[in-house]
Amino acid sequence: FMGNKLDSISPPFYFKYFEDKFLKRADYISVPTEGSIAAYNPKYKNKFKVIPQGFDFRTVKLAAYESNPSKSIFAYAGTVSQIGIRSPHKLVAYLLTKKAFDFEFHIYSNQVNNLQELALQSEGKVILHQGLPREKLLQELSTMDFLVNLENGTSTATPSKLIDYSLTQRPILNISPAAPDENKVDAFLNKDYSKQFILKDVERYNIITVARQFLSLIAK
């Protein structure tokens, strides 16, 4: 869509004509968040319905969580890039300055090669894993002390990762990849999760709830 702020390259100007033609013909346009509406032509705002992404909660199986009193064990799962909103490099670089802390930072990604050098510097504290199927991944994440989310810097999109993270029932450290909040990182390393991100009303992402919302549009 024309108002997408996440891509580094803007779409061709003529895309707006295709988008406008579709928006004009549609009875309804569903978007996952209220903020998403701002990314579209405002003259069609009355057609937009906020219907979140849906997940089958019945497939989620969590592992037993046990805290390790001697170290913090946490994880990030998702895309890893060298720069930009999917780059954990600055966070990892800061963590490597925390010589007094014993920790394990597990990173699950199909782009772990982008972090090989920092992982070697960490002397075993940064542990790289290839990506896992969602159900297995959620089990692994549910054993962590907390999970790391990199903010995308826009209100027009909400990462589905935050929904998956919330389903694991583990605290979420939500930080800027460009300028990690060092005080917040330190607090989490000390097992202080008072500033954790909490996704409100997780049940609204249940696929059963979402399906009912779509069916209500048909009924109209």
Side-chain angles (χ1 to χ4, degrees):
F1 49 95
M2 293 301 296
N4 182 12
K5 303 298 183 183
L6 298 180
D7 291 336
S8 57
I9 300 176
S10 299
F13 75 92
Y14 54 82
F15 273 28
K16 68 180 179 181
Y17 300 115
F18 294 108
E19 183 173 280
D20 189 75
K21 185 176 181 180
F22 164 73
L23 294 175
K24 184 177 181 179
R25 290 175 61 86
D27 294 311
Y28 302 105
I29 304 102
S30 73
V31 289
T33 67
E34 191 75 34
S36 304
I37 300 174
Y40 295 89
N41 190 325
K43 72 179 180 180
Y44 299 109
K45 66 180 181 180
N46 292 333
K47 293 187 175 187
F48 283 86
K49 304 295 179 183
V50 178
I51 301 179
Q53 302 172 71
F55 297 81
D56 190 348
F57 287 9
R58 297 167 297 183
T59 66
V60 177
K61 296 179 176 61
L62 305 182
Y65 167 71
E66 295 183 13
S67 177
N68 186 326
S70 64
K71 69 170 67 174
S72 283
I73 304 175
F74 49 101
Y76 168 83
T79 301
V80 171
S81 61
Q82 291 286 357
I83 58 173
I85 62 173
R86 297 291 176 259
S87 170
H89 289 71
K90 290 189 176 181
L91 171 61
V92 173
Y94 176 68
L95 289 171
L96 295 186
T97 69
K98 311 301 290 182
K99 305 297 185 182
F101 285 92
D102 191 9
F103 67 85
E104 291 181 10
F105 185 16
H106 295 260
I107 299 176
Y108 297 84
S109 176
N110 291 327
Q111 298 86 27
V112 288
N113 288 339
N114 290 333
L115 285 168
Q116 290 286 1
E117 185 175 340
L118 284 175
L120 288 173
Q121 294 176 26
S122 76
E123 299 180 344
K125 290 186 175 182
V126 176
I127 304 169
L128 306 180
H129 307 267
Q130 286 296 316
L132 295 173
R134 180 172 176 266
E135 291 181 27
K136 176 64 175 174
L137 177 62
L138 293 185
Q139 278 191 311
E140 292 287 322
L141 296 182
S142 67
T143 67
M144 303 292 167
D145 290 323
F146 64 90
L147 305 175
V148 175
N149 180 63
L150 303 177
E151 297 173 346
N152 60 21
T154 176
S155 62
T156 61
T158 300
S160 59
K161 181 190 285 107
L162 286 173
I163 303 169
D164 276 343
Y165 276 9
S166 297
L167 293 177
T168 69
Q169 301 177 17
R170 305 311 310 139
I172 299 172
L173 170 60
N174 197 37
I175 54 172
S176 165
D181 185 331
E182 296 178 0
N183 290 330
K184 189 187 291 188
V185 173
D186 289 350
F188 272 70
L189 289 174
N190 283 298
K191 300 183 185 293
D192 174 5
Y193 310 128
S194 57
K195 293 185 178 180
Q196 65 176 289
F197 173 87
I198 297 176
L199 186 66
K200 298 178 181 178
D201 193 12
V202 176
E203 184 59 31
R204 65 187 172 137
Y205 301 102
N206 190 322
I207 192 63
I208 296 173
T209 303
V210 170
R212 286 174 179 160
Q213 288 181 275
F214 278 112
L215 288 173
S216 70
L217 296 182
I218 298 173
K220 295 179 181 179

